[in-house]
């Protein structure tokens, strides 16, 4: 027994000591990292720093010297963090961009993260480019930091609207790539460098331009040299195979597609050479990928050139000489276009949403600048509004410009790329009605739809909406029964090529009338009027939930009928009619039959209005003849 | 011949067994009638009658250092640590002087530059640049150190040289108590900042040493060479990133500069006992620095505190007495036709810690932390000294250091470091 105890004691002693978890003042607060990075609110962050340190930071804003400070958010204070000035061309004394290192002076974290960034939104006069651009990357499935806006107070002085940015660190890498033991490099700008081979000395590539951010003491830059050499020297025939050992080429082109679509001015392809990226090389592999950094130079206009600098960059030029990769870039550009959408699409709405969140704080921000530099608050407010108006134009015209440039450059665009018109979606019964209801029929107007429904997929809220009919300029789909009310994205995909994404308004009910039939099954109109006492059937859509509901796309059952849960009201000539039955039309998709008796008090007329009300919503009037 | 080769040749010449030289012969035949004469006793010396004496002194130290693990990139294995030239002597009857300059790369090339007026034995006045009286180890000249490196507390906490004026002398009939009391413009070379700007101002310093046994008016016997001492100094440090700093044997920082403002005070005690071929020495030093208005909101912070001690012992197995021959420059030539000089074994344990006097909140490494997360260094040194003759000494040390905080280590995450040091020293 004693021997066993000794053995156990020895075993316990020989086990490696468990590392103490870092102190996290947010622990137990009931809040999470998602709350900290919540992009639905404008946060408030307060920093306390010794007044002399603040002056030193501002006087030496070009230095990377860390200063101790306390940082507070929603009542949680993190003491003794390290802050330093950050940025390259955006560095300012008056409104310094800041890097906040929680663990600079002690082993502590904040929601499990060791650092974050506070971007001063200079020189982005809209204050939102960086945040929107990173969101596009993430929506494309590409690793990019989460960002939101905050009001920053330093020593109780308002320093303005900042963008709070998640750090690209090991936790970020683990979350996105399931690997954090590899080598993360931050791109250190090298004048006019475009991935040319500089020689076989690895020190020509790291620490400039590939500046190590992880594994700093265990660096091996040889794979970087090998990557650049292969990019430059691999034969055309071997290019994809050889470079794929070092770089995920398709990921690179997806990364590039976002940058090009968003008209980045200072990214991978620019007149200045490569800039603003991280490169991550996986642990125990040569393979790596790009991660975006600093995207506040995006949205430079819908007509900003897309392919102008492709030929200057060795990697882009050689990759896009491969037909398969060229096709991939084209598809990815169209995917970005689809995601961003046109007028009323996701990007358009996102600009409006962020504007609503920040505009009040932005107008109070006395440290924001004008293009010429520091200026008065009223001048900078004019600039802010002017640039917001400018960026609002971007979703309207960018897609068509990109498609045009791709077409002119001979990129392999599909014969017709699906595109959506402004206000493209309406109720199929009466196209004036813009909202639709689950299960109802919607009309989508645009171009490039072809005529073959099997080539088309329409997604509403990510769920396939069955195509009922298609012509060159219009298609009719059933809004999936599963669609939630509110705003839902809609995108048309033809042979894998996506249209821009637009948002549609989905209500519980959105009634509209196709036509009214008499007992003989004929439409009630001029020559075939109905008389008071006749039973007529209103064929409509968007009347709401039914019992015995069929699957989305499936015809309605006859027996038992899919009757409406709430009986609608029908007014003929303003007089309420008795509703005899109300159910989905058996054998049809998305159409309802409502049988009513024409009331006795209806005055004769060739254009007597019929209105159907469901869920408290009235349809537009449909005219019938009453004798 | 390159400069390095010339130095080696010079070292080799010094390392040869001592011979009766022409200089010694010259000393035996002084020509007292001449006003100007050259004498080589301990050092080469010019005598201008009775009114001026100029002794020429030189010291060369060639160091070889290896650090494991390597902390300084490619190590400079050989380093001519010191190339110091000095003149010292007397002027008229009551004036003494010393001027020494370091020729090797150093932050402060002028070393001792002072004059001493000695009209009264017990009330001597020294003025100029010299060591502030604090710390026995710091006040011991590099020629007479038991180890290649001074203790960490002497190297980092004691002030070292500065410009000032000092009243000093032995007290009592037998001079058993010595005192030093002085004022200095600044706070010593060791407290300089990273740009070699001295940080403290208006330093007052005092030190008293003595042998308590001598007061017993009995034969002190074994305790004849016992010395106890106490020292204190205080200065004002203006606001800035100017605190005392912790550094390892390899000169890497393990406790950086902190913001301070206010008074810096140092207190030290010392003990030295040199019975026969043995020696036992120890010191304790505590330094305290105020941080007025250095908080993040401008509030006062708790004082920074640095303290430490060392205990060292040596033994000369070849039998020479430490006090009379090896210590304090009172050497006799050892290596000769009769023997190979003196061999001395030495060991030292030391501890130094930097932190703050408490404070609210979690301990932090922040330079404005209210409650400073401390860091300490524990060191063991083992060494051998070989005294070839009165001018030549070779020392070999190996040092083990263990840091408390792995994050403030020369190699982050590592706490234990080894240093191997070898020194060849020639001193005239």
């Amino acid at each position: 027994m004693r021997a066993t105890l000794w053995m156990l004691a020895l075993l316990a002693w020989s086990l490696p000591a468990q590392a103490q978890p870092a102190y996290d003042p947010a622990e137990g607060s009931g809040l999470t990292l998602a709350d900290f990075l919540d992009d639905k609110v404008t946060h408030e962050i307060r920093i306390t720093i010794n007044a002399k340190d603040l002056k030193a930071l501002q006087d030496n804003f070009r230095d990377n010297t860390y200063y101790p400070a306390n940082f507070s958010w929603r009542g949680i204070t993190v003491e003794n963090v390290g802050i330093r000035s950050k940025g390259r061309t955006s560095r300012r004394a008056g409104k310094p961009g800041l890097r906040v290192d929680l663990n600079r002076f002690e082993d502590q974290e904040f929601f499990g993260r060791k650092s974050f960034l506070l971007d001063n939104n200079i020189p982005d006069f809209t204050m939102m480019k960086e945040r929107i651009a990173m969101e596009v990357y993430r929506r494309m499935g590409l690793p990019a930091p989460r960002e939101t806006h905050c009001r920053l107070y330093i020593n109780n002085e308002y320093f303005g609207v900042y963008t709070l940015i998640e750090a690209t660190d090991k936790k970020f890498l683990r979350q996105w790539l399931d690997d954090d033991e590899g080598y993360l490099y931050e791109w250190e700008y090298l004048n006019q460098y475009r991935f040319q081979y500089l020689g076989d000395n690895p020190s020509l590539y790291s620490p400039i331009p590939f500046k190590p951010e992880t594994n700093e003491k265990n660096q091996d830059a040889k794979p970087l040299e090998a990557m650049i050499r292969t990019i430059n020297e691999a034969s055309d025939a071997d290019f994809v195979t050889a470079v794929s050992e070092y770089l995920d080429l398709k990921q690179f082109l997806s990364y590039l597609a976002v940058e090009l679509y968003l008209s980045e001015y200072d990214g991978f392809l620019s007149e200045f050479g490569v800039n603003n990226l991280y490169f991550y090389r996986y642990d125990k592999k040569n393979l790596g990928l790009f991660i975006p950094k600093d995207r506040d130079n995006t949205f430079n206009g819908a007509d900003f050139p897309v392919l102008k600098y492709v030929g200057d960059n060795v990697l882009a030029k050689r990759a896009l000489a491969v037909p398969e990769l060229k096709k991939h870039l084209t598809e990815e550009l169209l995917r970005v276009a689809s995601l961003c959408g046109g007028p009323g699409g996701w990007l358009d709405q996102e600009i409006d949403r962020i504007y609503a969140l920040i505009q009040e704080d932005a107008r109070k921000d006395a440290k924001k600048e004008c293009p010429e530099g520091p200026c008065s608050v009223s001048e900078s407010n004019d600039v802010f509004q002017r640039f917001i108006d400018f960026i609002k134009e971007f979703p309207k015209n960018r897609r068509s410009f990109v498609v045009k440039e791709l077409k002119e450059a001979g990129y392999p665009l599909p014969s017709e790329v699906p595109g959506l018109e402004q206000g493209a979606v309406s109720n199929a019964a009466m196209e004036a009605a813009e909202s639709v209801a689950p299960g109802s029929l919607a009309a989508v107007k645009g171009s490039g739809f072809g005529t073959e429904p099997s080539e088309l997929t329409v997604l509403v809220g990510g769920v396939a909406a069955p195509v009922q009919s298609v012509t060159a300029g219009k298609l009719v789909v059933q809004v999936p029964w599963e669609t939630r009310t509110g705003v839902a994205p809609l995108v048309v995909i033809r042979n894998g090529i996506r249209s821009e994404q637009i948002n549609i308004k989905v209500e519980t009910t959105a009634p509209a009338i196709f036509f009214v039939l008499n007992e003989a099954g004929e439409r009630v109109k001029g020559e075939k009027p109905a008389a008071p006492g006749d039973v007529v059937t209103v064929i409509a859509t968007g009347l709401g939930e039914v019992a015995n509901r069929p699957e989305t796309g499936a015809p309605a059952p006859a027996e038992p009928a899919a009757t409406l849960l709430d009986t609608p009201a029908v007014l003929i000539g303003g007089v309420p009619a008795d509703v005899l039955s109300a159910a989905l039309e058996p054998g049809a998709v998305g159409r309802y039959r409502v049988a009513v008796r024409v009331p006795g008090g209806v005055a004769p007329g060739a254009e007597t209005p019929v209105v159907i009300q469901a869920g408290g919503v009235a349809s537009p009037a449909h005219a019938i003849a009453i004798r | 011949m390159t400069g390095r080769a010339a130095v080696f040749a010079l070292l080799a010449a010094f390392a040869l067994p001592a011979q009766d030289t022409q200089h010694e012969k010259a000393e035996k035949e002084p020509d007292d009638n001449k006003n100007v004469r050259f004498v080589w006793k301990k050092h080469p010396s010019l005598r201008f009658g009775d009114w001026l004496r100029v002794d020429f002194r030189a010291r060369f130290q060639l160091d070889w250092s290896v650090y494991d693990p390597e902390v300084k990139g490619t190590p400079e294995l050989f380093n001519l640590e010191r190339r110091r030239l000095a003149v010292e002597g007397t002027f008229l009857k009551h004036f003494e002087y010393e001027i020494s300059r370091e020729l090797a790369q150093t932050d402060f090339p002028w070393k001792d530059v002072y004059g001493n007026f000695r009209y009264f034995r017990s009330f001597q006045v020294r003025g100029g640049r010299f060591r502030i009286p604090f710390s026995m180890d710091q006040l011991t000249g590099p020629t007479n150190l038991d180890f290649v490196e001074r203790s960490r507390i002497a190297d980092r906490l004691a002030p070292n040289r500065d410009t000032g004026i000092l009243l000093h002398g032995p007290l009592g009939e037998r001079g058993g108590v010595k005192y030093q009391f002085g004022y200095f413009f600044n706070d010593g070379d060791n407290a300089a900042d990273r740009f070699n700007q001295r940080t403290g101002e208006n330093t007052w310093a005092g030190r008293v040493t003595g042998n308590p046994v001598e007061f017993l008016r009995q034969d002190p016997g074994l305790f004849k060479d016992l010395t106890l001492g106490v020292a204190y100094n205080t200065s004002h440090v203006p606001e800035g990133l100017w605190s005392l700093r912790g550094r390892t044997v390899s000169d890497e920082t393990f406790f950086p500069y902190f913001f301070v403002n206010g008074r810096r005070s140092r207190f030290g005690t010392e003990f030295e006992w040199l019975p026969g071929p043995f020696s036992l020495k120890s010191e304790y030093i505590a330094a305290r620095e105020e941080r007025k208005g250095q908080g993040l909101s401008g509030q006062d912070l708790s004082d920074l505190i640095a303290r430490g001690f060392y205990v060292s012992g040596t033994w000369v197995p070849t039998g020479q007495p430490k006090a009379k021959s090896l210590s304090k420059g009172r050497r006799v030539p050892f290596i000769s036709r009769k023997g190979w000089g003196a061999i001395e074994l030495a060991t030292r344990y030391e501890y130094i810690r930097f932190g703050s006097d408490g404070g609210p909140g979690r301990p932090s490494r922040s330079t404005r932390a209210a409650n400073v997360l401390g860091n300490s260094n524990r060191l063991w040194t083992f060494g051998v000294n070989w005294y070839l003759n009165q001018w030549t000494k070779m020392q070999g040390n190996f040092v083990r250091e263990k840091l408390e905080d792995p994050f403030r280590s020369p190699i982050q995450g590592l706490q234990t470091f080894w240093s191997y040091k070898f020194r060849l020293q020639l001193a005239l």
Side-chain angles (χ1 to χ4, degrees):
Chain A
M1 181 62 185
R2 182 174 291 181
T4 309
L5 286 171
W6 274 109
M7 289 289 284
L8 284 171
L10 190 65
L11 184 66
W13 179 77
S14 63
L15 286 172
Q18 290 290 314
Q20 286 284 319
Y23 171 71
D24 192 335
E27 209 170 86
S29 65
L31 298 165
T32 64
L33 181 63
D35 294 317
F36 183 53
L37 296 170
D38 183 4
D39 67 357
K40 294 182 191 66
V41 295
T42 304
H43 299 264
E44 183 172 302
I45 287 178
R46 289 179 177 269
I47 284 175
T48 306
I49 180 174
N50 185 282
K52 292 191 175 66
D53 287 352
L54 177 59
K55 182 173 185 307
L57 185 150
Q58 292 182 298
D59 288 347
N60 306 289
F61 67 98
R62 299 253 170 239
D63 296 349
N64 285 339
T65 306
Y66 278 91
Y67 299 88
N70 287 350
F71 146 82
S72 298
W73 171 81
R74 288 178 69 171
I76 305 171
T77 298
V78 194
E79 295 183 341
N80 295 307
V81 304
I83 64 170
R84 71 161 172 85
S85 175
K86 72 166 270 292
R88 200 163 68 88
T89 55
S90 64
R91 287 203 183 211
R92 295 291 188 277
K95 189 181 181 185
L98 297 172
R99 179 184 173 89
V100 181
D101 279 5
L102 286 315
N103 65 341
R104 186 73 195 173
F105 301 118
E106 56 188 272
D107 189 18
Q108 66 181 352
E109 297 177 340
F110 192 56
F111 294 118
R113 306 305 288 265
K114 290 181 165 55
S115 61
F116 58 88
L117 308 171
L118 290 167
D119 190 282
N120 59 4
N121 295 321
I122 293 175
D124 172 13
F125 304 106
T126 69
M127 298 190 164
M128 64 174 72
K129 291 178 177 178
E130 158 86 18
R131 167 179 171 172
I132 294 176
M134 291 302 184
E135 194 170 355
V136 175
Y137 280 100
R138 292 199 308 277
R139 283 170 167 254
M140 287 286 286
L142 299 168
R146 286 172 284 180
E147 304 190 357
T148 184
H149 277 98
C150 69
R151 297 180 291 275
L152 180 68
Y153 292 83
I154 301 180
N155 293 344
N156 294 323
E157 181 189 351
Y158 182 48
F159 267 63
V161 174
Y162 278 67
T163 302
L164 171 61
I165 303 175
E166 175 184 28
T168 303
D169 57 11
K170 281 191 160 198
K171 291 260 171 84
F172 171 91
L173 296 169
R174 170 64 58 188
Q175 175 189 320
W176 277 95
L177 308 173
D178 199 26
D179 181 296
D180 62 6
E181 295 297 318
Y183 300 80
L184 178 70
Y185 300 94
E186 183 178 8
W187 189 266
E188 190 78 11
Y189 179 69
L190 180 60
N191 191 32
Q192 296 292 337
Y193 182 65
R194 295 177 171 87
F195 273 62
Q196 308 92 317
Y197 186 56
L198 302 173
D200 61 3
N201 186 347
S203 68
L204 295 168
Y205 306 94
S206 184
I208 296 174
F210 291 92
K211 187 179 95 181
E213 285 287 303
T214 60
N215 282 317
E216 293 97 324
K217 290 178 181 163
N218 184 26
Q219 277 300 308
D220 179 10
K222 284 180 194 158
L224 296 171
E225 180 274 330
M227 176 176 76
I228 304 290
R229 176 162 37 82
T230 306
I231 287 169
N232 281 266
E233 296 180 359
S235 69
D236 290 347
D238 290 342
F239 180 81
V240 173
T241 309
V243 174
S244 293
E245 184 189 342
Y246 301 98
L247 195 63
D248 181 341
L249 280 166
K250 288 201 166 177
Q251 192 273 352
F252 162 64
L253 291 170
S254 299
Y255 168 92
L256 197 60
V258 177
E259 177 182 309
L260 295 177
Y261 190 86
L262 299 183
S263 63
E264 167 67 57
Y265 174 70
D266 192 16
F268 197 87
L269 298 180
S270 81
E271 63 176 295
F272 316 108
V274 175
N275 201 14
N276 287 323
L277 58 85
Y278 289 95
F279 179 74
Y280 181 69
R281 179 158 57 86
Y282 287 92
D283 185 31
K284 299 186 179 70
K285 290 181 188 174
N286 289 330
L287 185 68
L289 80 169
F290 294 109
I291 298 168
K293 180 193 151 199
D294 284 357
R295 282 291 175 267
D296 52 2
N297 278 308
T298 42
F299 301 105
N300 284 289
D303 56 353
F304 190 85
V306 182
L307 304 169
K308 184 175 179 181
Y309 300 107
V310 165
D312 299 343
N313 184 288
V314 180
L315 174 58
K317 183 181 178 183
R318 297 209 68 192
L320 293 175
V322 178
E324 181 198 345
L325 296 177
K326 198 169 184 175
K327 181 168 178 278
H328 182 75
L329 177 72
T330 310
E331 289 169 356
E332 290 297 271
L333 276 164
L334 293 173
R335 193 156 74 94
V336 183
S338 165
L339 189 152
C340 290
W346 171 81
L347 177 59
D348 199 18
Q349 293 197 13
E350 190 66 0
I351 293 168
D352 289 343
R353 186 178 74 86
I354 296 172
Y355 177 75
L357 278 174
I358 67 169
Q359 58 101 7
E360 193 177 327
D361 296 313
R363 289 181 198 287
K364 292 177 190 162
D365 182 350
K367 296 179 188 292
K368 65 183 185 296
E369 292 186 354
C370 296
E372 303 77 26
C375 56
S376 70
V377 182
S378 71
E379 285 171 328
S380 70
N381 284 342
D382 290 345
V383 168
F384 172 63
Q385 193 56 54
R386 184 152 49 88
F387 276 81
I388 290 289
D389 294 344
F390 176 76
I391 197 176
K392 280 283 286 176
E393 294 298 311
F394 189 86
K396 290 181 190 166
N397 303 311
R398 182 60 175 168
R399 184 175 187 277
S400 57
F401 181 85
V402 170
V403 169
K404 178 170 160 279
E405 194 173 318
L406 290 175
K407 196 178 282 181
E408 286 170 1
Y411 275 63
L413 284 166
S415 55
E416 276 197 275
V417 181
L420 301 175
E421 285 179 6
Q422 191 164 0
V425 177
S426 61
N427 192 304
M430 296 172 146
E431 291 177 6
E434 290 182 354
S435 60
V436 295
S440 69
L441 294 176
V444 181
K445 286 185 181 171
S447 59
F449 297 158
T451 55
E452 181 53 57
S454 63
E455 292 178 353
L456 290 166
T457 302
V458 178
L459 299 176
V460 176
V463 179
V467 178
Q468 304 302 302
S469 65
V470 58
T471 62
K474 177 182 164 186
L475 53 87
V476 174
V477 297
Q478 184 192 20
V479 179
W481 283 107
E482 301 84 356
T483 309
R484 292 182 181 176
T485 56
V487 173
L490 181 145
V491 64
V492 177
I493 305 167
R494 184 180 172 212
N495 292 327
I497 306 300
R498 300 164 73 100
S499 73
E500 65 268 50
Q501 179 180 293
I502 59 170
N503 286 331
I504 61 172
K505 195 173 171 189
V506 181
E507 307 279 5
T508 309
T509 59
I513 299 169
F514 286 102
F515 40 80
V516 178
L517 302 176
N518 60 22
E519 286 179 278
E522 298 162 326
R523 293 193 182 188
V524 178
K525 49 186 179 183
E527 294 143 16
K528 297 190 188 305
D534 287 354
V535 172
V536 295
T537 303
V538 179
I539 305 296
T541 192
L543 301 186
E545 192 58 88
V546 295
N548 195 26
R549 189 181 83 185
E551 294 289 317
T552 295
E559 197 62 41
T563 53
L564 274 160
L565 296 180
D566 295 318
T567 304
V570 176
L571 303 173
I572 299 175
V575 181
D578 285 342
V579 176
L580 305 176
S581 66
L584 285 175
E585 183 182 358
V589 174
R591 295 206 306 189
Y592 296 77
R593 291 173 64 95
V594 180
V596 298
R597 191 179 301 282
V598 179
V602 179
E607 296 286 330
T608 303
V610 178
V611 172
I612 189 164
Q613 291 179 337
V617 180
S619 71
H622 176 83
I624 62 172
I626 299 290
R627 65 171 188 269
Chain B
M1 185 184 283
T2 64
R4 179 163 287 183
V7 169
F8 272 110
L10 186 61
L11 293 176
F14 270 102
L16 287 173
Q19 305 288 333
D20 286 343
T21 63
Q22 291 298 319
H23 307 300
E24 286 170 342
K25 285 175 185 169
E27 189 190 343
K28 288 169 189 168
E29 298 165 8
D31 185 353
D32 291 334
N33 296 325
K34 288 186 178 176
N35 277 336
V36 180
R37 58 201 167 94
F38 178 74
V39 175
W40 191 325
K41 206 169 185 182
K42 278 184 180 176
H43 334 285
S45 179
L46 279 176
R47 313 281 170 88
F48 297 85
D50 289 337
W51 64 277
L52 178 63
R53 172 175 167 165
V54 182
D55 290 351
F56 297 95
R57 307 203 56 173
R59 181 186 304 134
F60 298 91
Q61 287 178 339
L62 182 68
D63 281 6
W64 177 42
S65 303
V66 175
Y67 302 108
D68 179 22
E70 201 173 278
V71 292
K72 289 175 171 292
T74 305
E76 177 84 6
L77 290 179
F78 289 98
N79 178 29
L80 196 55
E81 183 75 9
R82 288 187 176 88
R83 281 185 293 165
R84 194 171 301 176
L85 298 177
V87 290
E88 61 183 41
T90 57
F91 176 62
L92 299 175
K93 192 176 177 183
H94 302 295
F95 289 99
E96 295 162 339
Y97 67 89
E98 179 174 349
I99 301 169
S100 62
R101 183 177 167 88
E102 180 59 58
L103 302 180
Q105 183 69 34
T106 180
D107 296 332
F108 302 103
W110 287 106
K111 297 302 176 182
D112 291 314
V113 183
Y114 65 83
N116 191 60
F117 179 62
R118 186 183 170 148
Y119 187 79
F120 301 105
R121 175 173 165 268
S122 296
F123 299 99
Q124 300 175 47
V125 178
R126 178 184 293 185
R129 176 175 155 78
F130 52 93
R131 291 178 201 270
I132 295 175
F134 191 88
S135 172
M136 170 177 67
D137 197 21
Q138 182 59 248
L139 295 170
T140 303
T143 317
N144 301 313
L145 293 173
D146 293 339
F147 302 89
V148 173
E149 298 285 344
R150 287 193 171 89
S151 63
R152 292 295 85 202
I153 56 169
D155 195 51
R156 305 317 313 173
L157 304 186
N160 205 348
R161 291 183 177 84
D162 213 304
T163 304
I165 188 161
L166 185 77
L167 182 66
H168 67 107
L171 292 177
E173 194 178 321
R174 289 190 286 182
V177 174
K178 296 184 177 69
Y179 77 93
Q180 295 160 296
F181 178 77
Y183 168 81
F184 298 83
F185 294 143
N186 293 106
D187 191 27
D189 298 346
N190 285 354
D193 73 358
R194 56 193 155 160
F195 306 114
N196 293 328
Q197 299 295 313
R198 290 172 189 81
T199 54
E201 300 169 340
N202 301 321
T203 300
W204 293 93
R207 178 175 181 251
V208 179
T209 60
N211 183 346
V213 183
E214 291 201 18
F215 291 98
L216 300 176
R217 294 189 174 275
Q218 295 172 354
D219 177 11
L222 201 58
F223 297 102
K224 180 174 181 297
D225 293 306
L226 172 69
T227 306
L228 300 180
V230 61
Y232 178 80
N233 71 49
T234 178
S235 54
H236 175 261
V237 183
E239 183 173 16
L241 203 57
W242 288 338
S243 74
L244 299 175
R245 178 171 57 159
R247 307 196 85 175
T248 63
V249 169
S250 54
D251 230 18
E252 298 286 320
T253 300
F254 69 86
F255 191 84
Y257 294 115
F258 272 60
F259 285 98
V260 290
N261 182 26
R263 190 138 299 279
R264 173 186 289 153
S265 58
R266 299 179 177 90
F267 171 75
T269 62
E270 51 194 73
F271 167 88
E272 182 186 66
W273 186 30
L274 310 174
F278 298 97
S279 78
L280 184 62
K281 299 177 185 177
S282 181
E283 274 190 81
Y284 166 81
I285 296 177
R288 180 178 281 268
E289 295 169 286
E290 290 182 331
R291 297 192 290 163
K292 289 180 177 168
Q294 296 309 297
L296 296 178
S297 306
Q299 78 276 25
D300 294 349
L301 299 177
S302 59
D303 293 351
L304 287 180
I305 291 181
R307 54 167 70 111
F309 70 91
Y310 72 85
V311 180
S312 69
T314 63
W315 171 45
V316 186
T318 48
Q320 289 86 346
K322 178 78 171 172
K324 285 187 177 172
S325 59
L326 302 186
S327 184
K328 299 173 185 174
R330 294 193 290 258
R331 291 194 207 119
V332 295
F334 293 110
I335 192 163
S336 67
R337 295 186 190 94
K338 295 177 184 174
W340 285 95
I343 303 288
E344 183 178 40
L345 305 178
T347 186
R348 179 170 66 196
Y349 175 72
E350 52 187 312
Y351 173 76
I352 184 169
R353 190 171 202 283
F354 294 79
S356 69
D357 191 4
R362 278 167 48 80
S364 169
R365 301 179 188 92
S366 158
T367 49
R368 292 194 188 276
N371 184 4
V372 174
L373 182 65
N375 197 9
S376 68
N377 191 2
R378 293 173 191 273
L379 304 93
W380 273 106
T381 305
F382 299 95
V384 179
N385 302 324
W386 182 18
Y387 300 80
L388 282 78
N389 57 32
Q390 68 176 357
W391 301 306
T392 314
K393 181 164 85 169
M394 284 196 246
Q395 292 180 288
N397 285 178
F398 60 98
V399 187
R400 179 185 187 272
E401 291 178 274
K402 185 161 188 187
L403 298 170
E404 179 184 339
D405 183 1
F407 290 94
R408 281 176 294 188
S409 154
I411 297 174
Q412 206 175 76
L414 272 186
Q415 289 175 277
T416 304
F417 297 86
W418 291 88
S419 305
Y420 305 93
K421 298 243 169 190
F422 176 78
R423 171 172 288 172
L424 176 59
Q425 172 181 290
L426 305 170
L428 276 180

